[in-house]
Amino acid sequence: MNDTATLPDQETMYEALVRRDTSFEGVFFAAIRTTGIFCRPSCSARKPKPENVEYFPDTKTAIANGYRACKICHPMLDLGATPEWLQPLMEEVEQDATIRLQAEDLKQRGLDPVRVRRWFQKLHGMTFTSYLRMRRINQAFGQIRHKTPVTDAAFQSGYESLSGFGDGFKKTLGSAPAKSSDQQVITVTRLLTPLGPMLAGATEQGICLLEFADRPMLETQLNRLHKRMNAKTLPGDSPFFAQLDKQLEDYFAGKRTDFDLPLITPGTEFQQKVWAALRTIPFGITRSYAEQAKSIGQPTAVRAVARANGDNRISILIPCHRVIGADGKLTGYGGGLWRKKRLLEIEGCGSQL
């Protein structure tokens, strides 16, 4: 096995492989000696005996050792990537926010409607039909916010009747189109990274959410945003997403040390102070929770600072991963300690840990 210092023990990895544990995605790849292939931890293929498994920290090392990628779990693709069979449909959807497609339309495109629905349920937590409907509502909401008459917004968003539009709008946002001026929509999308997919959220003012999609507290964070911003989350596109995606790509490639996107961070006064302090920690530097508490002028508030760090909703851009224990050990990270370790390694802090 290669680079064992960066991997969990073999017993832990084998148990994760047997359980098909998605929380170990990005931590290791399992190579099967008897077949010559390597897989993700969550691969659905039949499991080998433990003595027939070799573990690697990345796909490059597995390939260098003579293994080829599994055709079931496709370990060479970023986790959460759109499969090849679905890419033409997604390109069509991304180009037209008003598109309406039924089961027969999918069949005409050579797609199985059940397969499409299952993929959307798994990746987005909703059916394909719901996904399209919410994108249309999101577009209409934006138009109404910019003074487009409700009737025009309805028909321009692909609706064939005002009553159908009004019912769908109220069901999704909780108010009639003409009474939605006090509401906000947080547009969300999934971005692929080497450490797994992330859910990004944006308003017209800036980025308000960036969390790993498998974070256990993600639903709680979304609910808090809804309450603080009087907002609903809807799938769609934002001009900030392309910038965010490019800046994250550069960061993971070692070409970027800071970010320059506008951030929206609703929270208490104390949380705001803690999050602002996080943004002052330089790239490549770590700080203890005690040092962070001192930096905001409240040296006894170590536990409160740790809680506020945990409530940070904009991972990486607000670098809560740079805060570690006083003894130099990694502690508390909503995206998983293995991700915290990888982020610090990207920033050149690996030798400090």
Side-chain angles (χ1 to χ4, degrees):
M1 186 165 63
N2 295 269
D3 199 12
T4 56
T6 67
L7 294 173
D9 62 85
Q10 292 197 26
E11 183 179 350
T12 298
M13 289 189 287
Y14 185 73
E15 289 177 356
L17 185 64
V18 171
R19 293 195 310 269
R20 302 173 182 173
D21 193 335
T22 57
S23 67
F24 280 81
E25 289 286 354
V27 179
F28 70 86
F29 292 87
I32 319 305
R33 294 188 176 99
T34 52
T35 62
I37 66 171
F38 69 93
C39 307
R40 301 178 183 277
S42 60
C43 185
S44 60
R46 183 179 177 183
K47 303 308 175 186
K49 295 179 179 179
E51 60 268 24
N52 291 331
V53 188
E54 187 174 6
Y55 301 95
F56 298 100
D58 51 53
T59 59
K60 181 179 178 180
T61 310
I63 292 172
N65 279 267
Y67 291 96
R68 63 185 187 279
C70 173
K71 293 184 178 181
I72 295 176
C73 64
H74 304 288
M76 297 300 293
L77 296 177
D78 285 334
L79 183 64
T82 302
E84 186 176 346
W85 60 268
L86 190 61
Q87 286 176 3
L89 176 66
M90 292 309 298
E91 290 173 3
E92 187 177 359
V93 169
E94 293 301 322
Q95 291 171 6
D96 184 4
T98 69
I99 195 168
R100 301 171 70 99
L101 296 171
Q102 303 300 326
E104 190 58 38
D105 299 313
L106 297 178
K107 291 177 182 177
Q108 290 176 3
R109 289 163 172 76
L111 297 171
D112 178 359
V114 174
R115 191 183 188 193
V116 173
R117 185 179 70 245
R118 286 174 177 168
W119 188 85
F120 270 84
Q121 286 281 18
K122 182 178 180 180
L123 268 293
H124 296 281
M126 66 183 74
T127 65
F128 178 58
T129 301
S130 296
Y131 180 82
L132 294 183
R133 182 176 65 251
M134 289 189 177
R135 282 177 58 87
R136 293 196 301 273
I137 290 291
N138 195 352
Q139 173 174 293
F141 177 83
Q143 291 176 327
I144 293 170
R145 291 268 290 186
H146 288 90
K147 310 304 181 183
T148 298
V150 171
T151 301
D152 292 346
F155 293 126
Q156 290 172 15
S157 298
Y159 282 85
E160 297 174 353
S161 72
L162 278 178
S163 60
F165 170 67
D167 290 344
F169 193 100
K170 188 171 183 178
K171 182 179 180 181
T172 303
L173 295 179
S175 63
K179 298 180 179 180
S180 61
S181 58
D182 293 334
Q183 277 198 311
Q184 287 196 78
V185 161
I186 299 170
T187 300
V188 293
T189 193
R190 293 170 69 90
L191 301 178
L192 301 180
T193 80
L195 301 187
M198 301 187 78
L199 185 70
T203 65
E204 292 183 342
Q205 289 74 42
I207 299 295
C208 61
L209 178 73
L210 184 64
E211 291 275 23
F212 287 101
D214 61 359
R215 181 182 178 180
M217 287 283 290
L218 180 56
E219 186 174 351
T220 299
Q221 293 287 45
L222 285 171
N223 288 336
R224 288 172 178 170
L225 269 180
H226 293 164
K227 291 179 181 178
R228 286 199 169 274
M229 301 180 69
N230 186 28
K232 297 286 187 180
T233 50
L234 295 177
D237 195 18
S238 162
F240 295 117
F241 290 156
Q243 300 174 56
L244 176 60
D245 195 29
K246 181 61 169 67
Q247 292 192 19
L248 285 173
E249 180 183 343
D250 290 345
Y251 168 83
F252 281 109
K255 300 176 181 178
R256 175 175 287 274
T257 61
D258 59 5
F259 301 88
D260 56 9
L261 290 157
L263 305 183
I264 310 300
T265 58
T268 66
E269 183 179 349
F270 181 80
Q271 287 174 328
Q272 298 275 2
K273 188 183 295 186
V274 170
W275 298 336
L278 285 172
R279 299 182 71 180
T280 68
I281 305 176
F283 181 94
I285 300 296
T286 58
R287 181 184 290 171
S288 71
Y289 291 97
E291 289 171 333
Q292 191 186 7
K294 290 178 183 177
S295 75
I296 64 170
Q298 296 182 242
T300 62
V302 177
R303 290 187 178 180
V305 162
R307 284 195 298 271
N309 275 13
D311 288 333
N312 172 34
R313 306 180 196 95
I314 306 179
S315 299
I316 304 178
L317 279 64
I318 298 180
C320 55
H321 61 275
R322 294 177 189 161
V323 182
I324 62 176
D327 58 0
K329 293 182 179 180
L330 300 184
T331 58
Y333 189 65
L337 288 183
W338 71 270
R339 285 195 176 106
K340 186 170 186 171
K341 186 173 188 296
R342 292 289 178 87
L343 291 171
L344 292 176
E345 288 172 349
I346 289 169
E347 298 180 7
C349 301
S351 60
Q352 304 175 27
L353 306 176

